[in-house]
Amino acid sequence: MNKLFNMISKVGYKVGNKVKSAVREERGASELVVLVGLIVITLAVIIIFRGQLTNIIKAVGTKVIDWINAN
């Protein structure tokens, strides 16, 4: 789970940097292609691992609810 979170964080960080650089200066269509590519890759990873991500979120939610009820 940490690897997936780190990967998503890195992609988000790279997308944020690309957007900032595109706003500050125009480097041409290549920057836009890279940005769109990163977005597509991120969405593909989310779609491919949707079932696993759903199970992880449900498990964490259950543990949090159990912890809250115990305390």
Side-chain angles (χ1 to χ4, degrees):
M1 185 169 127
N2 286 336
K3 289 182 182 179
L4 180 61
F5 178 77
N6 288 338
M7 184 179 70
I8 292 172
S9 296
K10 288 178 184 177
V11 170
Y13 181 74
K14 288 180 181 180
V15 169
N17 284 339
K18 295 293 181 184
V19 169
K20 287 178 186 175
S21 69
V23 169
R24 291 184 185 147
E25 53 188 67
E26 294 181 348
R27 292 190 182 189
S30 63
E31 292 291 326
L32 184 59
V33 170
V34 170
L35 179 62
V36 171
L38 287 172
I39 291 171
V40 168
I41 291 170
T42 304
L43 290 175
V45 167
I46 291 171
I47 290 170
I48 290 170
F49 296 109
R50 186 175 84 196
Q52 293 173 348
L53 291 172
T54 303
N55 292 339
I56 291 169
I57 292 170
K58 286 181 182 178
V60 170
T62 302
K63 288 182 180 182
V64 169
I65 290 172
D66 291 343
W67 182 80
I68 290 171
N69 290 335
N71 293 323

